[in-house]
Structures are given as structure tokens and as C-alpha cells.
Amino acid sequence: MTKPDKLPLVVLISGSGSNLQAIIDQAAAGLAVEIRAVVSNRPGVRGLERAEAAGIATRVLDHKAFPDRESYDLALADLLDEFQPQLVILAGFMRILSPLFIQRFRGRMLNIHPSLLPKYRGLHTHQRALDAGDSEHGASVHYVTEELDGGPLILQARVAIEPEDNAVRLAERVLAKEHIIFPMVIRWIAEGRLTLTEGRVIKDGKALEKPLYLTDTGAPEP
Ligand code: GAR
């Protein structure tokens, strides 16, 4: 089988889809990916409109129609298989995935999380960073493993917390960084420069000992 020249993706969303939009925009600007489908667990969300506007296939798999997590995840995995993605992108997909699902896509699934992991796994990350009096916050891209928001970290971006910040303002600045780091990591994978091998992140032939950080010039550094 010949390798497709564009990396086939499926993007999972639950809401606004601004990270999806960043990937769509980069793909239009030459990022070698083919977004084969956008799947949402919620009907009627803005991210589905964004996908349709870009001519991408959309599917809604509403979790409310399933009796439990396992049956939902099984249906989701079967749906994804229809599109044969080499990479599954969780772009604001607000559901916990069961181990069976994760094992099926191990090493082929990325998540973006709005905090400097391992800080603030889970929800309300911006408010929690403010409540803790942190001086900086940010976002992380990581491979997905069974541990919630706990898989191997790839790239992070920091955002300074300002005295007049609230969760909404802070979230906006973090989101702007998300839109840079997520397509950047996808690009490395599309270029064959990044893998998860035996549980380790390998970038340009070297195991990462710690996550890379986006710098002010946009170039990642250890
Ligand atoms: C983003 O901030 C993303 O990091 C977060 O949801 C938002 C989705 O925004 N994801 C999580 O919290 C996952 N635990 P978007 O729909 O505009 O891309």
C-alpha cells in the first residue's frame, strides 16, 4: 500500500471548533493533511459549521443516545474506522474516553489541553490558575493515553498572567497560543518527524526528556 502524501486526520470536537479552524486554515496554507471528517458529540455546534464551510464531511454522534460510555466509544471507534485516519485529533472534545478506545488509537491520537500540564488536569483550568495566584499559565499538546490529560507531553506554550486578568481574558490569550501549537505538532507528524514509540515521544530521532516550549519567535525549544 502506498503511503498517502497527505496525513489523513479525523478531528473530534464538542463546541466552537476554533482549534479545528486553525488546522483547516493551515491545511489551506499547505500543511500536508487531509481532514477526512469532523465528528462532534454535540449537535448544532459552531465547529460543525466551520467544517461544512470548508467542505469537510461531518458526523454527529450524540452521547445522549447511548446507554453508557463503552457503547458510545465503540460506536465512535467504528465511525472513525470508516475514515481510516492515521491521526485522531481531540480539539475541544469534552468527553473522557474509555481505555478500549484509547488502545485502539494508541500513538495516533493527540489532545490539546488549556493548562501547563501536569498542572490543572480536567476542567476550569483558567480559573484554577487564577485562584492559585500563578504568574503563568498556558496550553499543552500531548499524546493521549489512558490517564486523563496525562499522556506524554509534546509542546507547550506559556502565557503570563496579568493582574487584571479574569478567566475569560486569560482563556482568549491561551486559545491564541493553542492555535499555533496544535497545527505545529500536527505538521511534525505529517512530516514524519514525530512519533510515540514505546511510550516515548521521539522528535527528529531523539527522545524528548521534557516537553518543548513555544518561544516568542515561534520556534520550539527544549
Ligand atoms: C480549548 O481551549 C481546548 O484546549 C479545550 O477546549 C477548548 C476548545 O476550544 N479542551 C479541553 O479543555 C479538553 N480537556 P475550541 O472548540 O474553540 O477549539
Side-chain angles (χ1 to χ4, degrees):
M1 206 170 71
T2 54
K3 202 167 164 278
D5 49 351
K6 289 188 176 183
L7 181 73
L9 310 180
V10 171
V11 182
L12 305 190
I13 62 166
S14 299
S16 152
S18 70
N19 276 290
L20 164 68
Q21 188 68 56
I23 300 163
I24 291 173
D25 292 347
Q26 288 294 314
L31 175 63
V33 297
E34 179 195 347
I35 306 173
R36 291 195 172 162
V38 170
V39 179
S40 174
N41 66 308
R42 293 208 181 101
V45 296
R46 173 89 180 94
L48 289 167
E49 289 170 16
R50 295 181 194 269
E52 278 156 22
I56 299 166
T58 59
R59 297 284 189 278
V60 174
L61 195 65
D62 190 340
H63 57 277
K64 295 201 188 97
F66 291 81
D68 53 38
R69 188 174 304 283
E70 279 64 34
S71 58
Y72 181 83
D73 285 5
L74 202 59
L76 182 62
D78 287 345
L79 176 59
L80 295 199
D81 278 349
E82 275 179 40
F83 295 99
Q84 294 286 301
Q86 278 181 26
L87 191 63
V88 176
I89 304 289
L90 307 183
F93 186 65
M94 303 305 280
R95 281 185 59 81
I96 293 172
L97 292 162
S98 52
L100 268 179
F101 182 93
I102 290 168
Q103 279 152 20
R104 205 150 141 181
F105 297 98
R106 177 180 290 285
R108 297 191 287 138
M109 184 153 53
L110 294 179
N111 183 41
I112 190 150
H113 183 76
S115 78
L116 293 172
L117 290 170
K119 277 190 152 187
Y120 312 127
R121 296 175 184 187
L123 298 175
H124 311 301
T125 56
H126 310 299
Q127 192 59 52
R128 286 158 70 199
L130 290 170
D131 291 348
D134 290 357
S135 58
E136 65 172 16
H137 185 45
S140 307
V141 178
H142 65 94
Y143 280 106
V144 178
T145 60
E146 285 87 343
E147 198 183 342
L148 179 67
D149 297 329
L153 291 165
I154 305 164
L155 178 62
Q156 298 186 311
R158 298 185 177 103
V159 167
I161 295 184
E162 294 165 1
E164 63 277 18
D165 262 337
N166 57 39
V168 173
R169 283 186 45 142
L170 185 54
E172 267 173 25
R173 298 205 307 288
V174 170
L175 208 47
K177 296 284 188 190
E178 293 183 35
H179 299 161
I180 300 170
I181 61 175
F182 216 2
M184 191 175 272
V185 171
I186 294 167
R187 181 180 301 275
W188 294 337
I189 295 175
E191 291 173 351
R193 297 171 57 196
L194 186 82
T195 56
L196 184 71
T197 306
E198 292 166 10
R200 310 194 74 184
V201 179
I202 310 289
K203 166 128 190 307
D204 295 325
K206 278 197 221 128
L208 289 192
E209 300 305 332
K210 50 189 176 145
L212 298 164
Y213 283 96
L214 188 73
T215 63
D216 290 341
T217 59
E221 64 177 26

